[in-house]
């Protein structure tokens, strides 16, 4: 294996790749230069280390786990990021695979430490880039598009005008469904649509406008508190929810599926984490 990484890091990266191979029956081949997947351009160990966030000379900021990784151990975070890199890399080499917008909470364990082209949204809670939908049996997840994989397959690495327009189309679709279901059971719940998970939906200006000034709100509403503890569900009717529930649900969720560990305050322009003070959070939820 390359000597670009210290020996413990090289061993950790190798274990992470082999764990994916054994647990999910993924065909991989390891050698001194990197990782090979059938039908894919090889990934160098430096690319794997950068995505995982460890062991590159000159990249000292990548050696520590991200702030969103706790309470997982650093090795768990590395394994998650390596597995996501390999899954996304393989999926992007499939001829019919397309990309979709993807927003990931800032500091999330599932966000690659390096090699994903994303821009922060106003409010500081989310970063928006491109994702690829990876299916496994009946489930699916949208993973960040690695820049190295985009280059290898000739696909875009950045979310351009077409992807942002697509996000607004999906947001409009969600608004139509919310209007249809208003007043019914489950009418205050957000769910993934068209490959866009719930954090990503909050990046849609059309949906934020509806949440702030929808038909169930007084005219002139300026914000709405939304709870998104995991990527598959979000609640915006929070008057009866204990603020502590959001953090507890986030902690109980698999790191691969986690959303935001505190409620967010959504305005027409921003998505920001609610204050950490329990009293302030409760006041935001009652708004």
């Amino acid at each position: 294996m390359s000597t670009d990484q210290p020996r413990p890091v090289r061993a950790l990266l190798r274990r992470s790749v082999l764990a994916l191979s054994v647990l999910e029956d993924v065909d991989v081949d390891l050698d001194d230069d990197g990782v090979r997947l059938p039908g894919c351009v090889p990934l160098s160990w430096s690319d794997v280390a950068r995505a995982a966030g460890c062991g590159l000379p000159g990249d000292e900021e990548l050696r520590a786990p991200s702030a969103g990784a706790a309470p997982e151990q650093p090795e768990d975070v590395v394994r998650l990021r390596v597995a996501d890199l390999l899954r996304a890399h393989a999926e992007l080499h499939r001829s019919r695979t397309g990309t979709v917008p993807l927003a990931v909470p800032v500091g999330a364990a599932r966000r690659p430490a390096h090699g994903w082209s994303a821009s922060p949204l106003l409010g500081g809670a989310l970063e928006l880039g491109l994702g690829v939908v990876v299916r496994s049996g009946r489930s699916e997840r949208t993973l960040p598009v690695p820049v190295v994989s985009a280059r290898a397959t000739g696909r875009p690495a950045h979310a351009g005008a077409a992807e942002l327009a697509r996000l607004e189309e999906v947001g409009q679709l969600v608004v139509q469904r919310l209007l249809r279901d208003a007043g019914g059971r489950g009418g205050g719940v957000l769910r993934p649509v068209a490959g866009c998970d719930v954090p990503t939906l909050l990046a849609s200006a059309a949906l934020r406008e509806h949440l702030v000034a929808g038909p169930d709100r007084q005219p002139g509403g300026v914000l709405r508190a939304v709870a998104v503890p995991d990527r598959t569900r979000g609640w915006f009717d929070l008057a009866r929810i204990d603020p502590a529930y959001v953090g507890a649900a986030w902690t109980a969720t698999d790191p691969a599926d986690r959303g935001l560990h505190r409620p967010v305050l959504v305005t027409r322009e921003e998505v920001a984490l609610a204050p950490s003070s329990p009293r302030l959070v409760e006041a935001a939820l009652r708004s």
Side-chain angles (χ1 to χ4, degrees):
M1 190 179 290
S2 167
T3 58
D4 288 344
Q5 300 84 32
R7 187 180 297 274
V9 170
R10 286 183 277 153
L12 173 56
L13 296 176
R14 184 181 181 89
R15 289 198 305 272
S16 300
V17 173
L18 292 176
L20 176 67
S21 175
V22 172
L23 296 176
E24 301 191 20
D25 195 26
V26 176
D27 187 9
V28 296
D29 183 25
L30 313 182
D31 61 23
D32 288 345
D33 296 320
V35 181
R36 288 175 169 77
L37 300 165
C40 300
V41 174
L43 287 167
S44 71
W45 286 113
S46 292
D47 290 328
V48 177
R50 282 182 176 274
C54 58
L56 289 180
D59 286 339
E60 298 299 331
E61 73 277 7
L62 302 184
R63 295 182 185 276
S66 83
E72 283 68 49
Q73 297 300 315
E75 182 163 343
D76 297 327
V77 177
V78 169
R79 287 184 175 179
L80 171 60
R81 291 173 174 173
V82 169
D84 283 356
L85 170 65
L86 298 185
R87 293 189 190 102
H89 188 70
E91 191 66 30
L92 285 167
H93 280 76
R94 302 182 191 276
S95 59
R96 297 182 180 180
T97 298
T99 55
V100 297
L102 173 65
V104 175
V106 171
R110 60 189 175 96
R111 189 224 190 275
H114 182 87
W116 182 48
S117 180
S119 301
L121 290 176
L122 289 178
L126 298 170
E127 293 178 286
L128 179 64
L130 280 183
V132 58
V133 180
V134 177
R135 294 174 176 84
S136 178
R138 297 183 178 180
S139 64
E140 66 178 35
R141 286 179 57 215
T142 303
L143 306 177
V145 169
V147 171
V148 63
S149 305
R151 291 173 181 166
T153 57
R155 299 173 183 272
H158 315 277
E163 289 77 22
L164 297 179
R166 173 58 177 163
L167 176 59
E168 291 308 314
E169 291 176 2
V170 174
Q172 290 283 7
L173 177 60
V174 174
V175 169
Q176 293 173 14
R177 294 184 178 182
L178 292 176
L179 290 171
R180 179 196 65 191
D181 298 336
R185 185 175 181 181
V189 179
L190 298 172
R191 299 189 184 278
V193 175
C196 296
D197 60 20
V198 177
T200 302
L201 295 178
L202 293 181
S204 164
L207 178 58
R208 294 198 303 270
E209 172 68 26
H210 174 78
L211 292 176
V212 172
D216 58 332
R217 303 286 287 177
Q218 294 295 323
V222 295
L223 64 81
R224 173 69 71 92
V226 182
V228 190
D230 72 75
R231 64 178 187 84
T232 65
R233 290 172 298 172
W235 293 270
F236 58 88
D237 185 9
L238 304 184
R240 300 180 181 179
I241 291 182
D242 186 333
Y245 168 78
V246 180
W250 181 86
T251 301
T253 300
D254 188 298
D257 291 320
R258 280 180 179 164
L260 294 134
H261 64 284
R262 296 205 306 268
V264 287
L265 302 182
V266 175
T267 71
R268 290 174 174 83
E269 304 295 336
E270 299 184 357
V271 180
L273 285 174
S276 57
S277 166
R279 290 184 178 180
L280 292 175
V281 171
E282 185 172 359
L285 293 180
R286 301 296 188 264
S287 65

